[in-house]
Every structure is written in C-alpha cells, then in structure tokens.
Amino acid sequence: MGIILILGIVSVYSSYRQRGRTNEPSSVRITIPEGYDNQEISKLFDSRFKYFDHDVFIQSAPQGYLFPDTYYVGLYMNATATVALLKGNFTKKIAPLIPEINKSGTSLREIILMASILEAEVRGVNDRRIVSGILWKRLKINMALQVDSSPETYERPGLPKMPLNNPGLDSITSALRPISSPYLYFLTDKSGKVYYAETFEEHKVNRAKYLNK
C-alpha cells in the first residue's frame, strides 16, 4: 500500500469575512493524499462545489500527473480549472527532476508508471528504491512485474498501460533513483514490512511465512 496522508478540509474565509459573512466560505483547504486515484480525488469535491462536474473531471484528468498536495480551492472552481491547478502543480514540483530524467534514458511516462506501482506496493523511501531496482531489473530481463496492485502485470512483461494512481514525490524520486540489489523478488506484509528474496524458492518461503499462502 502507498502512504496515506490525513485528509483535512478546513474552511477559509476571505472576502466574506470582510463583508461580515463569516458563515459563507469562498474557498476550502483540500489535501489530496499520495496514491489517490482520480476517482478518489473527484470525491473530495463534494456538494459545496456547485460548478464541479465529476464526469468531466474523470474524463479529462490525466491520472498520474495530478500532484498530491494541499490546495486552497475556490468553491466556484469547475472541473477543468481544477485539473489545470493540479497539473500545474505537478509540472512545478517535477521540474527539478526533469534534467535527471532526461539523462536517465527513461521517459517521464515510464517514471510515473513505475512510481505509481511503488506508491501502491511499498512504504518508505529506502524500500521503494530497492523495489524500484527490482522492478527495473525485471523489465530489463523481460520478466513480468507481477505486482498485486496491477493485475495486467501478471499477464505480460512491461509496465502498466496507465498509472495506477497519482504518486507523490518520494515515489517519483524512487522510480528515478533505484537501488541495485541481488534481489529479484519482494513482498509486503500487512504491516507494511518488505521481505526480499534472490530466488523464487526463497520467495515462496517468505510467502508461506509472512503471508500464510
């Protein structure tokens, strides 16, 4: 599972306070947790957002490229403007990594696809970087990724066709900066602890021991 942040929605009084109408907020503070998909983000925009069209948001928002962060969002905002806000923040936050991505030989799309897997599968930056190394290694040897968060990766080698969620900066950085290891297998138990194995036989032992399978 990915890291789940605490969701907070706090009323912010601006022009209404000046008018003495403190019971009518003009905007709210919304925190989008790391690893939320577009459906989950859409649900944060509740009935207070009179102009927010959930269908338009789902159809137009590019999953994987909406940056998880805390936003002050005007209650007048529509879906199109909200997508632009989240995408713009993604572009701003990812900008310092673009030169490194360009030199890596891996596209931004591939980095985001990998980051979305790491966000869903592993907690903690160090484990994410190790798992990143394992998954890139599997891709290199044309081995199926076989991650539970993406069933299609059991059916064929390669990355998922679409990002699984909207990953945070730690996962994006981990996808870009994998740690090399002798491992080819990993699993995460219910507490979030990761166990590694070099061979499938070792991996089967870990599964029986830590997942009771």
Side-chain angles (χ1 to χ4, degrees), residues 21-176:
R21 298 168 63 184
T22 57
N23 63 325
E24 298 181 45
S26 62
S27 61
V28 296
R29 187 177 110 176
I30 292 182
T31 295
I32 300 174
E34 297 172 350
Y36 260 33
D37 62 25
N38 287 2
Q39 293 277 356
E40 291 172 310
I41 293 175
S42 182
K43 290 176 182 177
L44 300 180
F45 293 85
D46 54 28
S47 60
R48 294 169 298 174
F49 295 87
K50 303 298 184 183
Y51 306 103
F52 189 92
D53 188 312
H54 294 273
D55 291 334
V56 170
F57 182 85
I58 295 300
Q59 293 170 10
S60 64
Q63 183 153 290
Y65 302 87
L66 307 180
F67 197 77
D69 208 344
T70 297
Y71 298 86
Y72 285 90
V73 184
L75 295 178
Y76 55 84
M77 292 274 280
N78 61 25
T80 301
T82 303
V83 170
L85 173 67
L86 305 187
K87 284 178 58 180
N89 194 29
F90 172 88
T91 300
K92 177 182 177 181
K93 294 297 179 65
I94 204 74
L97 297 178
I98 293 299
E100 188 175 351
I101 292 173
N102 291 338
K103 292 178 181 179
S104 72
T106 306
S107 69
L108 174 60
R109 176 180 177 275
E110 291 170 322
I111 292 293
I112 296 303
L113 289 170
M114 179 63 75
S116 73
I117 294 174
L118 300 176
E119 190 72 63
E121 292 285 329
V122 191
R123 303 175 188 176
V125 174
N126 192 64
D127 280 324
R128 282 177 176 162
R129 292 184 64 195
I130 295 173
V131 171
S132 176
I134 291 172
L135 297 180
W136 287 122
K137 185 191 303 184
R138 289 185 181 182
L139 290 174
K140 187 175 181 179
I141 64 175
N142 202 36
M143 176 181 174
L145 296 182
Q146 298 182 335
V147 291
D148 292 344
S149 56
S150 178
E152 68 179 290
T153 62
Y154 278 89
E155 301 171 359
R156 58 168 180 82
L159 290 161
K161 294 180 181 178
M162 300 292 293
L164 310 181
N165 51 55
N166 293 282
L169 196 59
D170 282 347
S171 291
I172 296 171
T173 303
S174 296
L176 178 60

